[in-house]
Amino acid sequence: MQYLSKNKHDIYQVRIRVANRLLPYFNRHEIIKSLGTKKYQEAKQVAFSFISPYQSIDLITRTTLLTDYQIQELVETYMRDVLKISTSTVKRSAELVSF
């Protein structure tokens, strides 16, 4: 699986490259998340739970007309619920960039 790699402790991690059109919403070029396992088969299953929702966001934003607000809501929900990353830090850094 092209998204999987191992960190220095031999724990699998998933790496997702953020699409250029979604960079302003994710505020990062890639998403790297530890999968918490050294077993390849288990890592593939866990990785799917991170990759699938991202691919859905990517597809939806490519094929439908959404406002910036709607895209931001999709991204924040993904980061909060799937990645377990606080979205307040994303908003704060996005506010610093836009003057």
Side-chain angles (χ1 to χ4, degrees), residues 40-84:
Y40 179 71
Q41 291 300 323
E42 189 176 323
K44 282 186 0 182
Q45 292 174 344
V46 176
F48 184 75
S49 68
F50 295 110
I51 296 167
S52 180
Y54 172 80
Q55 289 176 333
S56 295
I57 292 170
D58 188 35
L59 179 65
I60 289 167
T61 58
R62 259 189 292 131
T63 58
T64 60
L65 293 175
L66 297 175
T67 65
D68 286 342
Y69 177 78
Q70 291 170 320
I71 296 171
Q72 189 64 50
E73 287 296 312
L74 282 173
V75 169
E76 287 179 12
T77 301
Y78 172 73
M79 293 183 74
R80 183 185 63 244
D81 297 346
V82 177
L83 299 178
K84 308 295 185 211

